[in-house]
Amino acid sequence: MKKKFGLFPLLCLVLLLTLFLKPVPVAACSCVMKPSVDKGYARSQAVFSGEVIGIKDNNGLLGRRGKTVLFNVKETWKGINETEVAIATGSSDGDCGIAFVVGEEYLVYARLSDMYGDESLTSIICDPTTELGNAAEDIAILGQGQVPTQDVKSVDNGKSTVLIGGGVVFIAGLLAIFGWYRVKRNK
């Protein structure tokens, strides 16, 4: 005897896909010219130098994109006083991302933006962010920076773990309901 699945599992699948698969807006990135040091400084909320100590790819769940780059701050000129800071950037130059490398030092100009998800400090290829070895002219204009005084260590706030765990529980619940529905229908 051929069994029919019914509409309920199909509706559950459509609901699940609707909740978790959102279209991601896409825009190409191009810059005519990077701004001068003065303009870059004026439009930035944070200007600092530091070493990249971690890079986390954010592409995936819930339409997030880009990457988060964690810095050990060596010197600061504006906006931050912490020894560690995270900024957002794109995954590649096509989405305005800077190709940061773990272990390398940079002079970073960052603005508050929600370009890559939640509002956070963000640096893109249109900002004057550069490798520290290429920043002598910028540093001559900026002058002596300050050493950050607020010692912080990065902490995972656990949001991604909660979201993944919630998704697993939701799917397990749907499978349990589907199994119960099949058993009840076969009686």
Side-chain angles (χ1 to χ4, degrees), residues 27-31 92-97 115-116 124-126:
C29 187
S30 67
C31 307
S92 65
D93 60 359
D95 65 353
C96 302
M115 186 174 188
Y116 300 107
I124 61 173
I125 61 174
C126 299

Side-chain angles (χ1 to χ4, degrees), residues 12-71:
C12 289
L13 180 62
V14 169
L15 177 65
L16 182 66
L17 290 175
T18 303
L19 289 173
F20 289 105
L21 298 178
K22 298 188 288 187
V24 176
V26 177
C29 187
S30 67
C31 307
V32 175
M33 219 168 97
K34 287 189 178 188
S36 66
V37 175
D38 293 333
K39 284 185 180 179
Y41 182 87
R43 73 178 194 184
S44 297
Q45 276 76 38
V47 179
F48 64 92
S49 66
E51 178 185 352
V52 175
I53 56 175
I55 299 174
K56 178 183 170 196
D57 187 7
N58 295 330
N59 294 324
L61 289 177
L62 304 176
R64 295 200 62 171
R65 58 197 187 284
K67 57 189 173 187
T68 301
V69 183
L70 184 63
F71 286 89

Side-chain angles (χ1 to χ4, degrees), residues 4-15 174 178 181-182 185:
K4 294 182 182 178
F5 271 80
L7 232 50
F8 183 73
L10 181 61
L11 289 174
C12 289
L13 180 62
V14 169
L15 177 65
L174 284 177
F178 176 67
Y181 177 75
R182 285 188 65 193
R185 222 179 82 198

